[in-house]
Amino acid sequence: MFDFLKSSAPAFQNLTPAKFAEGLRQPGGLLLDVRRPDEFAGGHLPGAVNIDVTGSNFAQRTAALDKTQPLYVYCRSGARSATAAKQLTAAGFANVSNLLGGVLDWPETLVR
């Protein structure tokens, strides 16, 4: 009835690296690296799937994912992953978390 009163806050969560790591330890989540393939090849979080948010097929590739599965999204600094998280929640993904600070703030070693 009063839709205009609803908060315009994002429907995804921004998580600190510690909270993001905690979420990744829970079963059933998908870790999504939204950087370019060359950045991904240079080092990424273990177990991550790479789908470039700036790629022309981002929406098509993410549409194939389970919308009920928790998604943990990250990039280099947190900016592109926030954009991706907005797109994912708009597309109907129910549980999306963004890594604040991206891999720049990630305390653990990246894998290749």
Side-chain angles (χ1 to χ4, degrees):
M1 181 174 182
F2 293 105
D3 287 337
F4 65 92
L5 294 176
K6 287 185 180 173
S7 170
S8 62
F12 62 90
Q13 300 179 73
N14 284 308
L15 301 179
T16 63
K19 289 288 185 189
F20 195 84
E22 190 177 299
L24 290 177
R25 287 192 289 272
Q26 304 304 311
L30 176 67
L31 180 59
L32 188 59
D33 183 320
V34 297
R35 298 175 300 160
R36 295 184 321 267
D38 63 305
E39 293 175 288
F40 182 80
H44 56 272
L45 274 62
V49 172
N50 183 218
I51 303 178
D52 183 356
V53 69
T54 64
S56 60
N57 63 350
F58 180 76
Q60 180 183 3
R61 289 187 65 196
T62 56
L65 302 174
D66 180 354
K67 286 185 169 44
T68 63
Q69 183 178 29
L71 283 180
Y72 295 89
V73 185
Y74 74 93
C75 66
R76 181 178 173 272
S77 68
R80 283 177 285 175
S81 55
T83 298
K86 286 177 195 168
Q87 292 177 19
L88 292 163
T89 54
F93 286 86
N95 187 351
V96 180
S97 298
N98 176 44
L99 174 60
L100 288 171
V103 295
L104 291 176
D105 287 350
W106 189 248
E108 298 172 31
T109 304
L110 302 178
V111 298
R112 292 179 188 242

